[in-house]
Amino acid sequence: MLPYPPFQSGEMGFALRARAFFFEGGIMRSVEWHEDRVRLIDQRLLPAEFRLLELETVAGVAQAIRDMAVRGAPAIGATAAFGLALAAQRSPAQDSQALLRDLAAAADLLRAARPTAVNLAWALERVMGRVQRENDPQRMRAVALAEAQRIADEDVQINRRLGQVGAALVPDGATILHHCNTGALATVDYGTALGVVRAAHEQGRRVHVLVDETRPLLQGARLTAWELQQAGIPFTLIADNAAGHFLRTGQVDLVLVGADRVAANGDVANKIGTYKLAVVARENGIPFYPCVPTSTIDLATPTGDDIPIEERPAEEITDLTFKGQPIAPPGVPVANPAFDITPHRYITGIITEHGIARPPFEQSLAHLVDQARRNADGQ
Ligand code: MRU
């Protein structure tokens, strides 16, 4: 069993019998504002159990991000934004300065929850930036929630546009190798790399996904397989170690992954194991595309070496079981980096909602980020 530390009293969890999922127009998004709280799907228990968490404190939201009840860069960005809105609603501050101090403390707590995905800091800065333009506390509370809601709504629209951009690269009959989970669960809805797969499928193209199990937390086996099964998209689950075999034997047409942060030079931080895939894809002449919203591009981080890599608890590896028994002797030394860096030279292109960045990435990424800014400013 993975460690699931108990939530603070007041944080509610409840299970639903749910076969139907929450894709756009369906039951719910991966995270949303519900009445006066943050409600999200507890991804730790899937696919065995569909459980919702309702979070009433900012500490509870930070813990849900840290413990990966919610995970995936865009999803934790939206969750953090709602967490900050929650902090604003719950703060007893009577004046704007006191409220700003409470929000700064809440933002620090949320930002520290997971260090690699830049979407988390990006979303917090966006909400803070909007709040700082007001000076009436009640108005500040209202704009914090409205901005968080806007971030969540935009995420869905961005993913749909990204899906259309990327689907143009997917030929009919394509086999796509995919790592981790980048679907509706990893975003607010629809997904990034899996959004591309979904868009190609919706356009009537025949696609088949090779789903990496993605050790140690098995986001591929548990979450991606679950999402694809519900969407009716053909797939085959493979052991992580099998990916090289499929790439070398001509059974893969392209590799699609997500990213937690893209540095200014095009280096990409993503789920541990991505680097190996990119190198083997290049060795075999297979295109390799990270798929990201422009909010995942961090022009302030020059290269992948400047991206902090999160180290996760040893128990995530040692608590896995094989035939009901622990997979390792007790007390073994463990290293558990959650992400790796894929140097930009292995990347064919980076698919975004505003188009595909191609090498040289310094220029193409800066251009796409500029385009996203202009778009946001209504130019
Ligand atoms: O540790 P996780 O499960 O949060 O890691 C998720 C990934 O690495 C995803 O590929 C990335 O966040 C992009 S999700 C659209």
Side-chain angles (χ1 to χ4, degrees):
M1 281 283 289
L2 294 171
Y4 301 137
F7 278 74
Q8 297 200 334
S9 62
E11 311 295 3
M12 293 177 283
F14 52 91
L16 292 180
R17 258 193 73 245
R19 265 303 294 157
F21 193 23
F22 52 92
F23 292 121
E24 227 185 355
I27 295 178
M28 65 174 291
R29 295 174 169 186
S30 68
V31 56
E32 58 189 19
W33 186 260
H34 179 69
E35 293 170 357
D36 58 351
R37 343 183 241 280
V38 181
R39 182 163 79 175
L40 49 85
I41 295 168
D42 189 339
Q43 301 187 31
R44 297 168 300 185
L45 305 174
L46 287 170
E49 196 178 322
F50 186 98
R51 181 181 285 269
L52 300 182
L53 283 176
E54 293 201 348
L55 305 170
E56 297 184 329
T57 66
V58 70
V61 175
Q63 193 177 342
I65 295 172
R66 200 166 36 245
D67 295 346
M68 294 173 66
V70 57
R71 33 73 42 209
I76 62 178
T79 304
F82 281 129
L84 204 50
L86 184 66
Q89 313 299 314
R90 300 292 157 115
S91 163
Q94 302 285 336
D95 63 84
S96 59
Q97 287 313 307
L99 182 53
L100 277 180
R101 277 195 299 277
D102 284 354
L103 289 185
D108 286 348
L109 188 66
L110 291 162
R111 199 179 298 106
R114 291 195 78 191
T116 303
V118 73
N119 304 61
L120 207 167
W122 170 87
L124 291 170
E125 272 161 34
R126 207 173 125 170
V127 174
M128 281 302 264
R130 182 66 194 89
V131 168
Q132 279 161 351
R133 301 217 296 268
E134 306 293 335
N135 46 32
D136 168 65
Q138 273 316 92
R139 175 98 188 116
M140 290 161 79
R141 289 182 173 95
V143 300
L145 182 54
E147 192 64 15
Q149 190 60 56
R150 199 168 297 125
I151 287 171
D153 292 343
E154 284 176 11
D155 183 66
V156 184
Q157 300 315 317
I158 285 168
N159 294 336
R160 286 198 159 268
R161 285 210 300 277
L162 189 158
Q164 295 299 317
V165 171
L169 297 171
V170 179
D172 186 38
T175 296
I176 299 159
L177 180 64
H178 178 269
H179 194 57
C180 195
N181 171 265
T182 65
L185 287 166
T187 58
V188 177
D189 205 344
Y190 203 73
T192 58
L194 280 184
V196 171
V197 171
R198 177 176 296 275
H201 175 75
E202 285 168 358
Q203 290 170 11
R205 252 162 284 166
R206 288 164 303 153
V207 291
H208 189 101
V209 185
L210 289 177
V211 175
D212 267 5
E213 58 181 354
T214 316
R215 292 210 166 202
L217 292 184
L218 301 165
Q219 290 93 330
R222 294 189 302 108
L223 308 177
T224 296
W226 188 66
E227 286 195 29
L228 290 173
Q229 200 168 49
Q230 292 184 62
I233 299 174
F235 70 94
T236 303
L237 178 64
I238 62 170
D240 290 337
N241 289 341
H245 165 75
F246 286 98
L247 287 163
R248 195 191 68 77
T249 52
Q251 299 186 66
V252 178
D253 296 293
L254 70 163
V255 182
L256 295 177
V257 296
D260 286 77
R261 194 184 300 219
V262 179
N265 72 342
D267 292 352
V268 163
N270 191 47
K271 179 51 52 194
I272 194 78
T274 303
Y275 169 50
K276 271 198 315 195
L277 293 180
V279 173
V280 181
R282 170 55 55 91
E283 163 75 9
N284 291 281
I286 295 162
F288 178 92
Y289 292 101
C291 307
V292 302
T294 44
S295 53
T296 303
I297 301 168
D298 181 10
L299 297 181
T301 296
T303 75
D305 291 338
D306 306 301
I307 299 176
I309 300 291
E310 178 184 9
E311 182 72 21
R312 302 275 312 169
E315 292 73 30
E316 290 182 351
I317 294 177
T318 55
D319 283 5
L320 287 175
T321 57
F322 176 72
K323 296 186 190 290
Q325 300 299 324
I327 61 163
V332 293
V334 169
N336 186 17
F339 301 96
D340 60 25
I341 302 296
T342 299
H344 59 88
R345 65 179 174 279
Y346 296 110
I347 294 171
T348 313
I350 299 175
I351 300 171
T352 78
E353 75 276 21
H354 289 296
I356 304 169
R358 304 269 183 189
F361 288 112
E362 277 89 353
Q363 284 91 327
S364 58
L365 289 172
H367 173 72
L368 289 177
V369 169
D370 188 49
Q371 209 168 315
R373 274 200 202 113
R374 284 166 190 272
N375 216 51
D377 295 343
Q379 290 173 28

